[in-house]
Amino acid sequence: MFIQALLVAIAATLSTGWIWHPITWPMIYPLFSGFIVGIIMGDPITGMMAGATINLAYLGWITAGGSMPGNLSVAGVFGTALTILAKADPSLAITFAVPLSLVGILMWQLQMTINVFWVHKADRYAENADTRGIYLMTYLMPQLTAFLVNGVPAFLMVYFGGDFFMSLIAGIPEGLVNALEVAGGLMPALGIAMLLNFLGKTSLLPFFFIGFFASTYLGMGLMPIALFGASIAAYSFMSKPKEEEEVQDMEEKAAITLEKKLSKKDLIRHWLLGLSQECAYNYERLQATGTCAAMVPIIKKLYTTKEDISDALKRYLVFFNTEPAFVGTIIPGIAASMEEQKANGADISDEAISSLRTGLMGPMAGVGDTVAQGILYPTAAALGCSMALEGNAFGPVLFFTIYTGAMLILGYYMYMLGYRQGKAAVIKVLSSNMISRVTDAVAILGLMVIGAMGAERVIANVPLHIVIGESTIVMQDVLDSLIKNIVPLGVIMATWQLIRKKISATYVVIGILIVGVLAGYLGILGAAI
C-alpha cells in the first residue's frame, strides 16, 4: 500500500505541477489521470471509467489566465482513487469528485501563492547571472511545492483511507445511492452546456442538434459522427474564399551579418523547454519563471558577459501569460529571433522585445485557448470518454495521442514560423480570415461530436406511471413519442441558459447535484429506463 500511495501522490503532483505539457497536460484531465491512477491501484478499468465519468462533467471547463473554475486535477486523481478505495461503482465517481474539486481550488490557490516566493528568489539569481539558480526556482522548488500541497494529501488518503471509505459507502442507503446515480447522469450536461456557450455561434448551433439527433434516431456512434463532422468541417473551410493579401513587415530587418547564430538544435531545445513554462505558475507573474528558464540556452549561446546574461534573464522575468504550447509558441520563436539579432548588433532595445511579447500575449491566448481548450480537448476527450465508458482501454490512449500529437506538431510549426518570419508572421495571421475559417471549421466538428455526446451521456428519464382505470400511461413513452431523448436535451438547454446568464459554474454544479438527488430520491427522474 505504501508504494501505491506514493505513486498516486506522484501522479497528483504531475497533474498539478504542469511540469512538461506533452506529458503532464493530458494528466490534468480526469479521463487520462483516472486511467493512470487505476493502473497504479491495480484496477485500470474502474479507474478509466471513473475518470471518464468525472471528465464528462468538466468537458467545457476552461482554465485561462490563471483562473480555476474547478480543480480538474484534484477531481480526477482524488475522485478516481476514492472510487477505487471505496469499491464504488464508477458512475458514483462524480459525486466524490465535485466536492473534492471545490476543495482543490483552495489547494491551487495555496500552490500559486507559495510559488510567488520562488519567482522572487529567481530575481536574485538573475541579478547575478546565475542560470543554475533559475533552473532550481523553476524545475525543482515549485514541484516540491506541488508535492506538498497535492501529493501529500493524496498519499495520506490512499495509505490510510481504504477501510474507512469502504465502510462509508456501505452505510449509504440504497435509495440515496440510486439518487446519486441520477445526479451523476445529469452532470455531463454542465460540460456540454459550457462548450455550447464557448463554441455556440448562432450560425453553427444547428450542427450540435445534427449530432444529437443523429445519435438519438440513427444510432450513430461518436466515431462515425466525428468522421462526418470532419468532412463537413473540411467542406466549410475550403468553401470560404481565401483572402489573398500580402502583408509586409513594416519594420524590415536590418541587413546584418549573424556572427552569433542559433543552430537548429538550439531552437528545438528552446521550444521543448518552453513547453514547461507553466511549471512555476504563480499569482504575481504567472509564466515568467518558466519562460525565463526556457530562454537560458538561447541566452548562454548568444551572450558571454555576466552583465549581458543578467540583463537578458531579467527581460524574461516580467509578467507573462499566454497559451503556451499550441499557438503561443510563436512568441518565444519571435523572441529567439530578436535576441539573435540583438546579440549581433541590431538596434533592438529591451523595451522592444518586452513590448512585442506583451502585445502578442492576448491575441495568441485568444486563438490558442480556442484551439486547445475550446475545440481540440473536448473533441478528443468526448471520443476517449465514449470508448472508456464502454470498457475500451484505448479511449484514454486515443485522447493522449490526439492531444499531445496535435500539441507537438502545431507547437513546433508555430515556433519555427515565429523564428523565421518574426512579427510579420503574426501580422499576416491576424490580418487574414484564416483564423475565422479554421475556428469555424473545427467548431462544426466539435459541436457535432458534443451533440452526440449529449445524446449518449446525459442520462435521465421520467419513470412516472399514471393509472387511468385499467390503463397505465408511461410518461417516458409519451415523451419519446414527441421527441426521443427530450429530457436529456431539455437538461442541456436549461443548463446552457444558466451559463449564458453568467451564473457561476460552481453554483450550477451544486444545483445539478441537489436537483438530481432530490428528483432521483422522489422518483421523478431515473438514471435508466
Side-chain angles (χ1 to χ4, degrees):
M1 183 59 74
F2 178 86
I3 299 298
Q4 280 187 341
L6 180 60
L7 291 175
V8 170
I10 293 172
T13 302
L14 292 176
S15 66
T16 52
W18 298 0
I19 298 171
W20 194 59
H21 286 332
I23 300 298
T24 53
W25 247 14
M27 289 192 68
I28 294 173
Y29 302 112
L31 169 62
F32 192 71
S33 63
F35 183 52
I36 298 299
V37 169
I39 292 174
I40 292 171
M41 299 184 70
D43 195 349
I45 300 301
T46 297
M48 172 186 69
M49 296 180 73
T53 301
I54 296 167
N55 210 139
L56 289 178
Y58 296 97
L59 209 56
W61 287 47
I62 294 175
T63 56
S67 66
M68 181 64 71
N71 197 321
L72 275 69
S73 305
V74 169
V77 173
F78 286 69
T80 300
L82 193 52
T83 302
I84 295 174
L85 285 171
K87 300 189 183 305
D89 190 275
S91 63
L92 292 176
I94 186 63
T95 61
F96 300 144
V98 168
L100 288 168
S101 171
L102 299 179
V103 173
I105 296 175
L106 301 177
M107 296 163 67
W108 173 251
Q109 291 169 343
L110 177 61
Q111 182 177 330
M112 290 274 283
T113 301
I114 295 174
N115 282 347
V116 171
F117 178 77
W118 311 130
V119 76
H120 283 283
K121 291 279 289 182
D123 286 335
R124 291 195 283 274
Y125 285 121
E127 192 68 44
N128 296 317
D130 185 346
T131 56
R132 181 176 175 273
I134 297 291
Y135 281 147
L136 288 174
M137 293 305 107
T138 303
Y139 301 123
L140 178 61
M141 300 311 296
Q143 310 326 314
L144 293 178
T145 301
F147 184 81
L148 176 66
V149 174
N150 304 281
V152 171
F155 176 88
L156 295 175
M157 183 183 72
V158 174
Y159 189 74
F160 293 108
D163 293 338
F164 171 75
F165 290 115
M166 285 178 64
S167 62
L168 183 66
I169 293 296
I172 299 177
E174 183 179 352
L176 182 56
V177 172
N178 293 335
L180 289 172
E181 289 180 352
V182 172
L186 297 179
M187 196 60 69
L190 175 60
I192 293 167
M194 294 186 75
L195 284 171
L196 278 176
N197 197 51
F198 189 77
L199 298 175
K201 270 189 180 180
T202 304
S203 60
L204 299 180
L205 274 178
F207 291 102
F208 168 82
F209 293 102
I210 290 173
F212 187 93
F213 290 119
S215 175
T216 298
Y217 285 101
L218 303 180
M220 295 176 64
L222 247 63
M223 189 59 73
I225 288 176
L227 293 175
F228 279 115
S231 302
I232 296 172
Y235 172 77
S236 170
F237 178 81
M238 292 185 289
S239 64
K240 291 184 179 180
K242 182 179 179 182
E243 292 182 5
E244 298 291 344
E245 182 179 357
E246 201 65 36
V247 180
Q248 299 293 332
D249 187 354
M250 301 306 295
E251 297 180 16
E252 297 180 355
K253 295 180 181 179
I256 58 174
T257 302
L258 296 180
E259 296 179 0
K260 300 177 181 178
K261 183 167 177 59
L262 297 172
S263 67
K264 185 73 169 289
K265 183 179 179 180
D266 294 326
L267 297 173
I268 291 175
R269 188 179 181 190
H270 181 212
W271 163 61
L272 290 174
L273 283 175
L275 298 178
S276 294
Q277 71 185 44
E278 287 187 305
C279 68
Y281 221 39
N282 62 88
Y283 275 132
E284 184 176 309
R285 285 178 250 175
L286 296 180
Q287 299 171 5
T289 320
T291 302
C292 179
M295 282 297 297
V296 166
I298 300 293
I299 292 170
K300 293 179 72 173
K301 178 70 175 284
L302 296 175
Y303 303 105
T304 55
T305 70
K306 180 178 179 180
E307 182 181 359
D308 287 343
I309 292 173
S310 176
D311 289 343
L313 291 173
K314 287 187 284 187
R315 278 197 289 275
Y316 294 91
L317 278 174
V318 297
F319 178 93
F320 187 77
N321 194 52
T322 194
E323 185 283 306
F326 289 85
V327 175
T329 55
I330 197 171
I331 301 178
I334 294 171
S337 177
M338 295 182 74
E339 291 289 353
E340 185 179 49
Q341 295 173 61
K342 180 180 177 66
N344 283 279
D347 185 19
I348 299 176
S349 66
D350 294 358
E351 291 75 17
I353 296 174
S354 297
S355 296
L356 183 65
R357 293 174 65 243
T358 302
L360 292 177
M361 287 193 311
M364 292 303 101
V367 177
D369 285 338
T370 298
V371 171
Q373 297 191 60
I375 297 171
L376 182 63
Y377 151 62
T379 303
L383 293 171
C385 286
S386 178
M387 297 175 70
L389 290 171
E390 293 171 358
N392 188 340
F394 189 64
V397 176
L398 177 66
F399 168 71
F400 178 87
T401 302
I402 293 174
Y403 193 74
T404 296
M407 180 193 301
L408 293 174
I409 293 170
L410 183 57
Y412 176 79
Y413 172 79
M414 295 300 290
Y415 176 90
M416 290 302 176
L417 179 67
Y419 173 75
R420 288 193 307 268
Q421 298 190 25
K423 53 188 172 182
V426 182
I427 296 172
K428 184 174 182 178
V429 169
L430 294 178
S431 62
S432 71
N433 69 341
M434 177 63 71
I435 292 175
S436 175
R437 293 170 66 212
V438 170
T439 53
D440 280 359
V442 292
I444 288 171
L445 169 60
L447 284 167
M448 288 187 65
V449 170
I450 296 308
M453 175 62 74
E456 287 188 8
R457 299 302 173 191
V458 179
I459 302 171
N461 67 89
V462 181
L464 296 177
H465 294 63
I466 300 176
V467 178
I468 302 177
E470 296 183 357
S471 300
T472 301
I473 298 175
V474 181
M475 287 302 300
Q476 188 60 49
D477 291 343
V478 174
L479 294 172
D480 285 344
S481 68
L482 296 173
I483 299 176
K484 195 173 180 181
N485 247 352
I486 189 172
V487 176
L489 181 60
V491 172
I492 293 170
M493 292 295 104
T495 307
W496 180 38
Q497 291 305 310
L498 294 175
I499 297 298
R500 288 184 69 187
K501 292 178 180 178
K502 302 190 183 303
I503 294 176
S504 169
T506 300
Y507 295 140
V508 177
V509 167
I510 296 171
I512 290 175
L513 275 174
I514 293 173
V515 170
V517 169
L518 288 177
Y521 203 77
L522 297 174
I524 298 171
L525 291 178
I529 297 175

